[in-house]
Amino acid sequence: ERLMTQSPATLSVSPGESATLSCRADQSISTNLAWYQQKPGQAPRLLIFGAFTRATGIPARFSGSGFGTEFTLSISSLQSEDFAVYYCQQYNNWPQTFGQGTRVEI
Amino acid sequence: QVHLQESGPGLLKPSQTLSLSCTVSGGSIDSGDYNWNWIRQHPQKGLEWVGYIHHSGSTHYNPSLAGRVIISRDTSKNQISLTLSSVTAADTAVYYCASSPGFMIFQPFDHWGQGTLVTVSA
């Protein structure tokens, strides 16, 4: 199975600042990568798919990039509602696998 | 907009069989618009894909659960079901039902239920 590794585990950011989250696959997954946001007590929410396409209703301050094995989620001008855990997920191969998550905290 | 709602017992004893249902509204489970997945999250841990049922009814499972998991559907009730046999404490998790676009097998999970906590304890 594809191993997905996220870094850092925790990112401390002030509101209004930007954040950059990384996700690495152990083998190429083309652009078959999604990013999810999860807040406490809630289900994950799809943010980005196809490595860089925002899902419906996702603000433009969220952007994704990357191809192959290296991917990035960027959040510009962090809002209070953006503090959460972010997961990357590959859907290139069975079984579909997630990274361990990056917590973005104030 | 599709909506998913999980239901099932919250507490099981080791060796019992877990049975969960996911009731789908806002679309038919066999329409072709979506495929259906079960994903679980162990307490304070990350996410694990459990398995998948195509809108045609074919299935695919995580090899880590091989032999213990069955995903099925009831089109008359518009429900997806998860059965996991011989549970242990390691199966304690929040179980989510999630959809993925139906036009291809490999797609992200675009709609999620709110999840249901299953605890396995003697």
Side-chain angles (χ1 to χ4, degrees):
Chain A
E1 77 179 41
R2 292 288 178 268
L3 178 64
M4 306 300 293
T5 304
Q6 291 186 242
S7 61
T10 303
L11 189 59
S12 297
V13 186
S14 297
E17 293 185 338
S18 297
T20 301
L21 289 66
S22 296
C23 175
R24 174 177 292 180
D26 63 346
Q27 294 187 46
S28 177
I29 57 170
S30 184
T31 56
N32 295 312
L33 182 104
W35 289 95
Y36 301 85
Q37 177 193 67
Q38 187 177 34
K39 298 180 181 180
Q42 296 184 17
R45 177 175 71 144
L46 178 65
L47 297 176
I48 301 284
F49 62 94
F52 53 82
T53 302
R54 280 189 301 276
T56 303
I58 301 304
R61 64 180 181 273
F62 291 91
S63 62
S65 64
F67 177 88
T69 61
E70 300 284 344
F71 301 89
T72 299
L73 174 68
S74 299
I75 313 171
S76 63
S77 188
L78 271 143
Q79 309 294 302
S80 58
E81 62 266 29
D82 300 335
F83 293 94
V85 179
Y86 293 83
Y87 294 95
C88 64
Q89 176 237 341
Q90 68 83 16
Y91 52 95
N92 193 65
N93 305 87
W94 301 116
Q96 301 176 55
T97 48
F98 293 85
Q100 79 279 20
T102 291
R103 179 179 304 276
V104 177
E105 63 177 25
I106 300 176
Chain B
Q1 173 93 355
V2 67
H3 180 76
L4 303 95
Q5 177 74 52
E6 304 90 345
S7 59
L11 181 62
L12 291 172
K13 298 183 185 302
S15 80
Q16 290 186 327
T17 295
L18 166 66
S19 294
L20 297 176
S21 295
C22 172
T23 300
V24 178
S25 56
S28 295
I29 61 173
D30 58 349
S31 70
D33 290 337
Y34 296 100
N35 298 317
W36 310 97
N37 301 266
W38 285 97
I39 296 154
R40 68 181 183 178
Q41 186 168 32
H42 298 97
Q44 308 304 317
K45 295 289 178 63
L47 298 155
E48 178 184 30
W49 174 77
V50 172
Y52 156 102
I53 184 165
H54 190 265
H55 54 77
S56 67
S58 62
T59 55
H60 205 101
Y61 303 123
N62 194 320
S64 68
L65 299 167
R68 294 202 297 135
V69 61
I70 297 174
I71 296 175
S72 59
R73 63 179 187 167
D74 185 333
T75 55
S76 66
K77 297 180 179 178
N78 220 39
Q79 285 183 340
I80 305 297
S81 296
L82 170 68
T83 302
L84 184 65
S85 60
S86 304
V87 298
T88 69
D91 296 310
T92 294
V94 175
Y95 286 76
Y96 295 101
C97 177
S99 66
S100 52
F103 62 91
M104 286 180 67
I105 292 176
F106 292 111
Q107 289 294 301
F109 309 120
D110 55 358
H111 299 93
W112 296 64
Q114 88 284 359
T116 186
L117 175 62
V118 175
T119 302
V120 180
S121 175

